[in-house]
Amino acid sequence: TVGRLLARCLGWPFLDNDALLASHTGARLVEVAQKGEEYLHSLEVQIACELCKTPGPFVATVAASVVETATCRLALKESGFVAYLKAEPDLLARRAAGTERPWLDSDPAAWFSTTLRRRSQHFEEIADIVLDASQPADQLASQLCQAIFEQQNAQRATES
């Protein structure tokens, strides 16, 4: 939701990880996930790395798992503006309710808690901005839009 709103604010195309995964594989996320977590994550890394090589500007969402791969973290950091929308495990579990993510079936909050312990440092390491994801989507998109405009203005000033 935030990505779509941000793309609209900037007037840029929006590229969604799940749609890119479906386009790449011809299958829905749940079908790809049934082939195993390693397989899914390898595809997500491949898609994120391809996005990093794609000429912009655009707004893209990438799978959170990609931050666990050092080369992908570096590619993301070097390719553009990276935002980390930081959320508590309970909030993520509520937002993921009803989605087709089989790895969340037993205890979503516990899964998010464990996973965030592993990934948070990586997210913060590559992020140009960290925002509290409990805010409404339109506020997050507005803050991100402003931060990107400020970064662009600073780059123009440096180039002058």
Side-chain angles (χ1 to χ4, degrees):
T1 301
V2 175
R4 283 182 182 80
L5 292 170
L6 176 59
R8 191 175 310 133
C9 173
L10 296 168
W12 295 351
F14 175 67
L15 305 172
D16 176 68
N17 176 75
D18 290 354
L20 292 168
L21 183 67
S23 173
H24 187 79
T25 63
R28 294 184 358 254
L29 174 66
V30 68
E31 295 165 334
V32 176
Q34 289 171 343
K35 294 182 180 183
E37 189 175 354
E38 272 186 50
Y39 177 71
L40 172 63
H41 292 316
S42 70
L43 288 173
E44 290 170 335
V45 166
Q46 181 183 350
I47 289 166
C49 288
E50 287 172 11
L51 279 173
C52 290
K53 296 174 189 172
T54 302
F58 57 84
V59 173
T61 57
V62 297
S65 65
V66 303
V67 299
E68 294 186 65
T69 304
T71 55
C72 200
R73 283 194 306 274
L74 181 61
L76 287 166
K77 184 68 180 163
E78 291 179 348
S79 69
F81 189 88
V82 177
Y84 172 28
L85 305 182
K86 189 174 186 174
E88 293 299 318
D90 289 340
L91 175 62
L92 294 170
R94 284 193 308 276
R95 288 185 177 167
T99 63
E100 294 183 321
R101 286 167 166 72
W103 55 90
L104 297 178
D105 286 346
S106 60
D107 187 351
W111 185 90
F112 280 116
S113 182
T114 299
T115 304
L116 283 173
R117 275 194 297 278
R118 208 172 54 243
R119 295 178 181 167
S120 284
Q121 177 184 353
H122 299 312
F123 285 127
E124 295 194 22
E125 170 188 314
I126 67 169
D128 293 294
I129 189 169
V130 178
L131 295 175
D132 176 2
S134 66
Q135 300 175 72
D138 60 337
Q139 286 181 16
L140 289 166
S142 178
Q143 290 173 47
L144 289 169
C145 195
Q146 181 64 36
I148 290 169
F149 283 142
E150 288 173 5
Q151 182 191 51
Q152 288 175 333
N153 288 337
Q155 285 174 343
R156 284 187 201 109
T158 303
E159 293 168 2
S160 299

